[in-house]
Amino acid sequence: MVGDPKTLHDLYRVEAQVRVTCRSCKATEVWELDALIAEVRANGGNTDWRAARSALKCPRHCAAPRIDLLPLPYGKQRARRRAHRHALINLSLQVLREAAQRSAREAVGTVEVRLALHVLRPFVREQRLLTEFWRAATAELRHPWTSCHLPYRWIAQRLIEQGAEVDEVDRP
């Protein structure tokens, strides 16, 4: 998108969110497009890009608002991608955690564990940690000291160091 859109509805093409900024008090808010259009209409304005600014109120309700609008293209897509990444990482860690709990008694080298390790590959970025978990999961001689607990802790710790959002139950 080059330049300002003609109407707020034009932003649907780029799945945009809109940053509303008051130049008077420097307050900012990020609005979803549907909510912004509803707010403009509720305040009696139209959805023309320039006219929408006069129909919006300051986020802090200051006395003399001067509103600026800034489109944030693909805002929903980034939020969805972050949510999907969070779900992938935590579901994979849940599978590995449950396997680690059973690993002292039985071999846990199952398809589910293998898939969870494969899903975590781009996030961990260190193949050695994943290989260690798989080696411990498929060990033939089962002893209490041959469990997958330590490799699981290494993987979870690496994810936390990489900045991934790891749920509290999956933390080492």
Side-chain angles (χ1 to χ4, degrees):
M1 175 167 32
V2 178
D4 289 337
K6 295 208 183 294
T7 67
L8 293 175
H9 295 287
D10 292 342
L11 297 175
Y12 279 115
R13 293 184 205 143
V14 291
E15 297 182 16
Q17 294 174 315
V18 179
R19 178 176 293 139
V20 177
T21 305
C22 177
R23 287 182 293 172
S24 299
C25 67
K26 307 292 186 230
T28 63
E29 277 185 339
V30 176
W31 286 71
E32 295 295 330
L33 193 53
D34 295 329
L36 183 68
I37 291 171
E39 180 71 17
V40 167
R41 287 189 176 146
N43 292 338
N46 70 28
T47 58
D48 181 64
W49 182 254
R50 294 176 194 254
R53 294 184 299 178
S54 63
L56 291 172
K57 297 176 183 163
C58 172
R60 290 190 196 150
H61 305 291
C62 68
R66 294 183 323 217
I67 302 297
D68 278 338
L69 301 177
L70 176 69
L72 303 172
Y74 305 107
K76 288 182 185 178
Q77 187 176 5
R78 286 189 191 118
R80 264 189 251 130
R81 191 178 308 133
R82 191 177 308 121
H84 289 173
R85 186 178 316 125
H86 176 74
L88 279 174
I89 289 172
N90 285 295
L91 285 173
S92 297
L93 282 176
Q94 180 183 354
V95 168
L96 295 182
R97 181 175 38 86
E98 290 170 359
Q101 290 170 350
R102 297 188 323 264
S103 66
R105 300 182 310 274
E106 61 189 57
V108 291
T110 62
V111 175
E112 295 85 12
V113 170
R114 192 171 183 175
L115 179 62
L117 291 170
H118 181 72
V119 167
L120 289 176
R121 237 175 66 201
F123 303 112
V124 173
R125 297 187 187 136
E126 194 168 335
Q127 186 69 30
R128 180 185 59 82
L129 301 176
L130 304 172
T131 305
E132 286 296 321
F133 190 96
W134 184 250
R135 230 181 255 136
T138 57
E140 291 297 320
L141 293 172
R142 303 307 309 169
H143 299 290
W145 57 86
T146 59
S147 71
C148 299
H149 289 288
L150 189 58
Y152 172 78
R153 283 192 209 117
W154 291 338
I155 292 170
Q157 187 60 40
R158 177 54 53 112
L159 287 169
I160 293 168
E161 289 169 2
Q162 296 285 342
E165 297 176 28
V166 176
D167 289 341
E168 194 61 38
V169 295
D170 294 324
R171 289 183 177 271

